[in-house]
Amino acid sequence: PPNSATTRRSPEVGDGSPDAGSSSAQTDPLMMKHSSSVSVVDSSPDLSGAEGVTKIEMKEDFGEGVEVEPGVGVERYGGQHFEHLALRNILPHSSPRPSENLEMNTVEGIPFENEHFKGKVIFKLKPPSVDDMNEPYRAHFGALNRKFELQIQGCFKQAPTGSVWLGAEIGHCDPSKGEDRMQIGFMKKTLCRIVLNTMNLMRGNTVHYSFGGDGQLPHIILPLYTSVDSFVETDSSVRPPAMGVKMFEEDEKSFKERRKSKAKDKKYELGKTYSFTLHNGNLDLYSWKVVGIPGVKAMDLESFWRDMPLRICAYETDGPFSAKHTKTSKKYLFCFELKNLNIDSEPPKQQESKR
């Protein structure tokens, strides 16, 4: 494997294996899963902050300088890699390490962990032809008008005291590459504002966005609880829903009540498992385009973001609900970076004219 973690098959309680019936298998809700679950045993220090264990301070380096080769990766979770895309966990002092090119379209969740959150993730991406997908995603995406889906399941390691957000950021977080700011013209910025303001009205004035600058990365972020497409909360004594090709199911009554609720009032508790999904039909990340907006032709994301990578993330902020989301104000629960390797990091050099 690309990192120093080792992979082992997790025993089910009562399956007769040497570790069956162990206390960890009985109490960890993330292990209360079907028999195909896989866990990663990481050789990095314990991040729990428990007594007798050194607590690791999170820093804003985001694994910069780590090179991820196109298409490189060991497919341990039944997924696939796309040669022009690299997906990685970029939080420092966490697992998987930033050097690992993560699989997409997996049949089970890929474990991840940091000092704030422990969980599993499935990143689902639809190419132009479903024939280029692994099974059984061909049938799943073939019937849906979606370009990508995100499935997360996990537990908080520290109870949040502020607002919990979910969405997307862009940026290098590398001063040598300049300021992380969207450099777009007046017409495109006006179009973006119209779309974002419309979205904000539809979501009850809870959309937080920035084009970059003033200490903020360019971002579109919403409260996690009210913005996800499905949300399931289970106690430690209850088996959480299985991860896989199908999205988590939420009954219609719960969905409507959650969407109408006040995001500020949502409290997340230790010991509970939170399972949620997000999907979108306009952000074509395989082709790196925005598509399907009525009256607007498809647009290259490069014209908005240049060579900056996309980050699908969730984090906690303290303070006023409308305060700026600066680097020092965020506590990341997860941050997965998707980079298009076909985009040059520097503008092409002009050729000298021949005399």
Side-chain angles (χ1 to χ4, degrees):
N3 62 10
S4 62
T6 58
T7 307
R8 61 177 172 83
R9 186 66 55 172
S10 300
E12 293 294 307
V13 177
D15 69 352
S17 58
D19 293 332
S22 65
S23 59
S24 61
Q26 294 175 359
T27 59
D28 189 345
L30 290 178
M31 298 297 291
M32 297 173 62
K33 197 170 177 288
H34 48 74
S35 59
S36 62
S37 62
V38 172
S39 64
V40 171
V41 182
D42 200 309
S43 60
S44 58
D46 193 320
L47 303 179
S48 64
E51 184 178 356
V53 177
T54 302
K55 185 176 180 180
I56 298 177
E57 181 181 358
M58 301 289 283
K59 297 181 180 180
E60 292 289 333
D61 64 7
F62 287 106
E64 292 300 331
V66 176
E67 295 294 330
V68 181
E69 296 181 21
V72 172
V74 178
E75 293 168 353
R76 296 178 288 172
Y77 301 97
Q80 63 185 132
H81 295 90
F82 298 108
E83 291 185 356
H84 67 295
L85 297 172
L87 176 67
R88 62 187 184 119
N89 165 43
I90 60 171
L91 292 184
H93 312 303
S94 64
S95 62
R97 289 176 172 81
S99 60
E100 182 172 354
N101 188 7
L102 303 179
E103 299 168 57
M104 302 180 213
N105 301 335
T106 58
V107 295
E108 55 185 307
I110 299 177
F112 69 92
E113 183 173 3
N114 54 66
E115 69 172 343
H116 300 296
F117 197 82
K118 175 184 178 182
K120 296 182 179 181
V121 59
I122 299 180
F123 194 93
K124 308 174 184 181
L125 194 63
K126 180 182 181 180
S129 172
V130 294
D131 292 335
D132 294 330
M133 305 186 75
N134 61 338
E135 292 287 1
Y137 280 98
R138 294 179 186 178
H140 174 71
F141 271 109
L144 298 172
N145 186 27
R146 298 175 185 173
K147 298 301 181 183
F148 88 90
E149 298 177 351
L150 178 74
Q151 191 177 49
I152 296 280
Q153 184 175 89
C155 306
F156 287 90
K157 297 175 67 174
Q158 300 178 20
T161 57
S163 302
V164 178
W165 305 82
L166 173 71
E169 299 177 324
I170 59 173
H172 292 292
C173 292
D174 184 351
S176 68
K177 296 184 178 181
E179 184 180 23
D180 290 322
R181 179 192 291 267
M182 293 177 66
Q183 297 179 0
I184 54 179
F186 174 78
M187 293 301 294
K188 280 189 176 180
K189 181 169 285 190
T190 301
L191 174 63
C192 289
R193 289 190 186 279
I194 292 173
V195 173
L196 291 169
N197 288 335
T198 302
M199 182 190 303
N200 199 21
L201 289 174
M202 295 175 62
R203 291 301 182 100
N205 294 317
T206 59
V207 178
H208 196 291
Y209 72 88
S210 171
F211 294 104
D214 295 329
Q216 299 185 99
L217 290 174
H219 66 266
I220 303 175
I221 298 285
L222 295 91
L224 188 152
Y225 182 61
T226 56
S227 65
V228 293
D229 294 294
S230 65
F231 184 92
V232 181
E233 181 177 343
T234 51
D235 293 325
S236 58
S237 59
V238 179
R239 183 186 297 272
M243 297 187 72
V245 178
K246 293 184 178 180
M247 307 296 275
F248 297 127
E249 295 184 358
E250 179 182 16
D251 64 81
E252 186 175 354
K253 181 181 178 181
S254 173
F255 174 81
K256 291 181 178 180
E257 291 178 350
R258 177 172 58 82
R259 281 295 178 92
K260 293 180 180 179
S261 65
K262 294 183 179 180
K264 303 175 186 178
D265 298 335
K266 175 59 182 174
K267 302 297 182 184
Y268 298 89
E269 303 177 28
L270 297 179
K272 289 190 174 182
T273 299
Y274 296 93
S275 308
F276 51 91
T277 58
L278 179 71
H279 60 76
N280 188 277
N282 302 113
L283 202 56
D284 186 351
L285 296 176
Y286 183 94
S287 301
W288 218 245
K289 294 178 181 291
V290 177
V291 299
I293 299 178
V296 180
K297 65 179 182 179
M299 296 177 289
D300 290 326
L301 291 175
E302 185 180 0
S303 66
F304 293 91
W305 302 344
R306 307 189 314 278
D307 65 324
M308 293 187 289
L310 171 71
R311 290 172 173 160
I312 306 295
C313 60
Y315 54 72
E316 176 192 356
T317 61
D318 292 316
F321 197 75
S322 59
K324 293 181 179 179
H325 291 191
T326 60
K327 292 181 181 180
T328 56
S329 68
K330 297 177 289 189
K331 300 176 183 176
Y332 283 91
L333 307 180
F334 57 81
C335 190
F336 297 101
E337 177 190 272
L338 184 67
K339 185 175 183 179
N340 188 331
L341 301 173
N342 286 342
I343 297 177
D344 294 331
S345 59
E346 297 180 0
K349 296 181 180 180
Q350 294 183 350
Q351 294 181 352
E352 295 183 2
S353 59
K354 297 181 179 179
R355 293 183 179 179

